[in-house]
Amino acid sequence: MSGKRQNNQLRLAFGEEGRSEAPMASGEGSETLAAKCGNESPANHEQLMEEVCERENCLQAFKRVKSNKGSPGIDGMTVGELSGYLLEHWPAIREQLLAGTYKPQPVKRVEIPKPDGGVRKLGIPTVLDRMVQQAVMQVLQRRWDAEFSVHSHGFRPGRSAHQAVAEAQKYIAEGRRWVVDLDLEKFFDRVNHDKLMAAVGRRIADKRMLKLIRAFLTAGVMENGLVGPVDEGTPQGGPLSPLLSNLVLDELDRELERRKHCFVRYADDCNIYVRSQRAGERVKRSITGFIQRRLKLKVNEQKSAVARPAERKFLGFSISNAREPKRRIAAKALVRFKRKVRELTQRTRGISIEQMTKQLSGYLRGWKSYFGFCETPSVLETLDQWIRRRLRSVIWKQWKRGTLRFAELCALGVSKNLAAKTAGSAHGPWRIANSPALNIAFPIACFEALGVPRLFAGL
C-alpha cells in the first residue's frame, strides 16, 4: 500500500478533526497520530503529564525517534513499525501516562568499542519507550534548560562542543595556563538515583512524572536473555539520560560558580582553568572531595590531572600554550583518523576506486565538519597529501601489470619515457604513489572529481 493511500485510510479511520498543521517528516500516519495524541494544555506544574501527551509534543517526539533510527529494544519492534503500533495502541498508552501507571520495559544491553580501547555499555530502550522518553525530555528541557549554567555545553539546544572548546581557549588566552582535567569514572553507570530524584523533585511537583522517571531509571537491563535490576545509573542510549545527567552535574556547576572558578563542562568532561600548578592541585583535591561526598560519584585519579592544556585533550582538541593559544587536533584523534582512513583505503579491499572514494568521502566530510574547527591548517594539508598518496597507491596496485600501467600513464598525460621508467620500477605501490608520474596522472583535480573533499580547502 502506498504512503498516500495509507494516509487517506488513516484519515478516514480516525477522523479529519484530528489533523495536525505540522505533519511528521515522513508523512506516514502523521495526521491520524495527531488526532490520537490529543491537544490538551497544562494549567500548572501539576499537569506536566498532560503537556507530555499534547498532540504537537508527541508528533515532535515521534519525528525525532524516527529520524534517529536506532536498533530495536527487547521487544524487537523497529522504528519503522512504531507508527502503526501507535495508531492502534496510543489511546491506551496515553491513558496509562495520564493515570501514572505506564511501565517501561527493561533496556537491552549493547556494548560498543571505545576509540581508546575497552567497551561502552549502552542501554537501548524499546522504540515506544524511546518516544515516551523523548516526549518527556522535550517538556522538561523547555523548563530546565534556561536554569543550567552558561558553562555547560553538552546535550543542550543551541550549544555545541565547538563552543566549549572556544570558551576553554578564551580562559587560556586570559593567562589561565593550567588545567584541572577531571574524569568522572563510569559516570552514567554510577548516578545515584536518590540524589537524582531529589533534584527532579525540587523542580517538578507532578507525582505521575516523578513516578515515570523513577520507573525509567529502575526498569532493569536485559543481558544474555536475563533481566537484572538497576539501583544506580542512567543508561546511555535513551533520550532522557543526557538531560538527567546535566541535572545531576548542575550541582557541580553551581559549586564551581560559587567558588568563582573558570570552567567548561561538556556532559561528564569538566575542565577548570587556573593560573598555576599549585592552585590547580589545590582545586583538584577540593573539587574531587565535593564530587565524591556530595554527588556520590567517583573521580578517576589515573585519568584526571593538573597539566598544561597542550598536554591534555578536550573534546578531541588540545590548545597550545602560546601567547595566542591555537586549537589543535589532539594526537589520539589524529591516530583514530588515520586508522579509519587506512581501513577505508586498504589496497586489498577488492572494490573499485569509485566505490572506495564514495565511502571515504562520507567519512571525510563528517570528520572535517568537526575537526575543521582546528587552527592548524598545515596539519590538514599534510593529511590531504597523505590521503591522496594512499589513493594513488590503491590505483597503482589495481593496474597490476607493467604493460597496463605504461598504457594508463601515457593515456593520462605522462610522457612515454617517464611512464616506461615508472611502470618498470621495482618499488612498491606506496613508494610509486609519491612519484612524479603518479602526481601528473592523478592531480588534486582528479580526486575532487571523484568527490573526495579537501580537508584544508576553505579554511
Side-chain angles (χ1 to χ4, degrees):
M1 181 186 299
S2 69
K4 183 175 180 181
R5 184 180 176 188
Q6 182 185 37
N7 283 351
N8 289 337
Q9 292 209 357
L10 289 170
R11 205 173 288 123
L12 289 172
F14 292 98
E16 293 287 333
E17 68 277 4
R19 293 175 64 180
S20 168
E21 295 178 359
M24 299 178 192
S26 66
E28 181 181 355
S30 60
E31 294 174 346
T32 310
L33 276 176
K36 298 184 79 80
C37 286
N39 197 28
E40 293 82 356
S41 297
N44 53 48
H45 287 278
E46 294 289 348
Q47 292 182 295
L48 279 180
M49 198 62 76
E50 280 75 11
E51 189 173 342
V52 168
C53 293
E54 277 186 349
R55 178 182 63 192
E56 295 304 322
N57 189 59
C58 290
L59 284 171
Q60 184 182 348
F62 174 86
K63 286 188 287 185
R64 178 56 62 89
V65 169
K66 191 162 187 176
S67 66
N68 287 344
K69 299 179 181 179
S71 60
I74 64 169
D75 61 355
M77 185 191 300
T78 65
V79 173
E81 296 169 333
L82 179 59
S83 61
Y85 185 86
L86 290 171
L87 289 173
E88 183 177 354
H89 298 285
W90 177 252
I93 297 167
R94 182 173 180 274
E95 184 177 342
Q96 291 170 15
L97 289 169
L98 294 175
T101 58
Y102 182 86
K103 292 185 178 180
Q105 297 189 66
V107 299
K108 181 172 69 175
R109 174 69 75 212
V110 175
E111 294 183 350
I112 61 172
K114 290 183 178 180
D116 300 329
V119 295
R120 176 177 287 110
K121 292 185 176 182
L122 301 183
I124 307 300
T126 65
V127 291
L128 175 60
D129 285 341
R130 291 211 291 273
M131 182 196 152
V132 174
Q133 281 196 35
Q134 180 68 31
V136 170
M137 187 278 289
Q138 290 167 180
V139 170
L140 297 183
Q141 188 172 63
R142 287 195 292 267
R143 294 175 179 273
W144 295 351
D145 190 73
E147 302 174 1
F148 289 152
S149 170
V150 295
H151 306 293
S152 166
H153 297 272
F155 308 123
R156 298 183 62 188
R159 293 177 178 268
S160 69
H162 287 172
Q163 291 174 334
V165 174
E167 184 177 357
Q169 184 180 13
K170 176 178 72 73
Y171 289 142
I172 297 166
E174 292 171 349
R176 297 173 178 85
R177 299 181 183 272
W178 289 87
V179 61
V180 182
D181 186 356
L182 296 174
D183 183 90
L184 300 182
E185 186 173 301
K186 296 181 179 179
F187 167 71
F188 286 93
D189 296 329
R190 291 187 170 171
V191 169
N192 183 281
H193 286 178
D194 292 335
K195 289 282 297 181
L196 172 56
M197 291 308 301
V200 174
R202 287 193 292 270
R203 287 166 172 80
I204 61 177
D206 190 325
K207 293 182 179 179
R208 297 165 301 176
M209 181 71 81
L210 294 172
K211 183 179 178 182
L212 179 61
I213 293 174
R214 173 76 77 168
F216 276 123
L217 292 173
T218 60
V221 176
M222 177 173 283
E223 197 167 8
N224 299 322
L226 298 175
V227 176
V230 174
D231 55 11
E232 65 177 359
T234 59
Q236 295 183 75
L240 191 55
S241 182
L243 178 64
L244 295 179
S245 70
N246 271 336
L247 183 61
V248 169
L249 293 175
D250 185 62
E251 188 173 352
L252 172 61
D253 296 341
R254 297 308 173 190
E255 181 65 16
L256 292 172
E257 289 175 344
R258 187 184 69 80
R259 300 186 188 189
K260 302 187 184 313
H261 287 310
C262 295
F263 73 98
V264 187
R265 185 175 66 78
Y266 190 97
D268 56 336
D269 287 332
C270 183
N271 281 2
I272 307 168
Y273 294 87
V274 296
R275 295 185 183 274
S276 69
Q277 183 177 14
R278 183 177 179 182
E281 296 292 354
R282 184 175 66 249
V283 169
K284 180 174 177 289
R285 285 193 301 272
S286 177
I287 297 301
T288 295
F290 174 85
I291 290 171
Q292 295 181 166
R293 182 178 65 257
R294 290 284 298 275
L295 303 184
K296 310 299 182 186
L297 297 170
K298 185 176 181 181
V299 173
N300 188 326
E301 290 290 346
Q302 291 184 332
K303 293 184 178 181
S304 300
V306 176
R308 296 289 192 180
E311 299 169 3
R312 307 295 293 179
K313 65 179 180 68
F314 181 52
L315 303 175
F317 294 91
S318 62
I319 302 174
S320 67
N321 281 335
R323 180 171 297 177
E324 295 183 5
K326 300 293 184 183
R327 300 184 295 270
R328 304 177 182 275
I329 303 171
K332 288 185 178 180
L334 286 173
V335 169
R336 289 196 296 270
F337 172 79
K338 287 195 167 186
R339 184 188 303 134
K340 182 63 176 180
V341 172
R342 287 190 184 99
E343 177 187 320
L344 292 170
T345 58
Q346 287 180 13
R347 297 194 294 267
T348 57
R349 290 191 67 195
I351 61 175
S352 69
I353 193 66
E354 289 79 13
Q355 290 174 295
M356 182 176 290
T357 52
K358 183 178 180 180
Q359 295 173 10
L360 175 65
S361 297
Y363 173 72
L364 293 180
R365 279 190 290 270
W367 190 89
K368 180 183 177 181
S369 70
Y370 186 78
F371 285 103
F373 189 59
C374 76
E375 295 175 309
T376 50
S378 61
V379 174
L380 298 181
E381 189 172 20
T382 300
L383 291 175
D384 276 332
Q385 295 168 356
W386 176 75
I387 291 166
R388 289 192 292 268
R389 185 174 177 181
R390 287 198 62 85
L391 291 173
R392 292 183 184 112
S393 176
V394 169
I395 295 170
W396 187 253
K397 180 72 174 178
Q398 289 181 348
W399 282 350
K400 295 183 180 179
R401 300 188 313 277
T403 53
L404 174 61
R405 288 169 173 171
F406 173 77
E408 293 284 4
L409 287 174
C410 289
L412 291 168
V414 180
S415 69
K416 288 186 177 181
N417 286 339
L418 183 57
K421 181 180 178 181
T422 306
S425 173
H427 293 306
W430 181 246
R431 177 81 172 267
I432 294 294
N434 206 36
S435 68
L438 269 288
N439 278 275
I440 292 170
F442 300 103
I444 295 173
C446 170
F447 297 108
E448 289 180 337
L450 286 168
V452 180
R454 294 171 63 181
L455 303 179
F456 175 58
L459 294 179

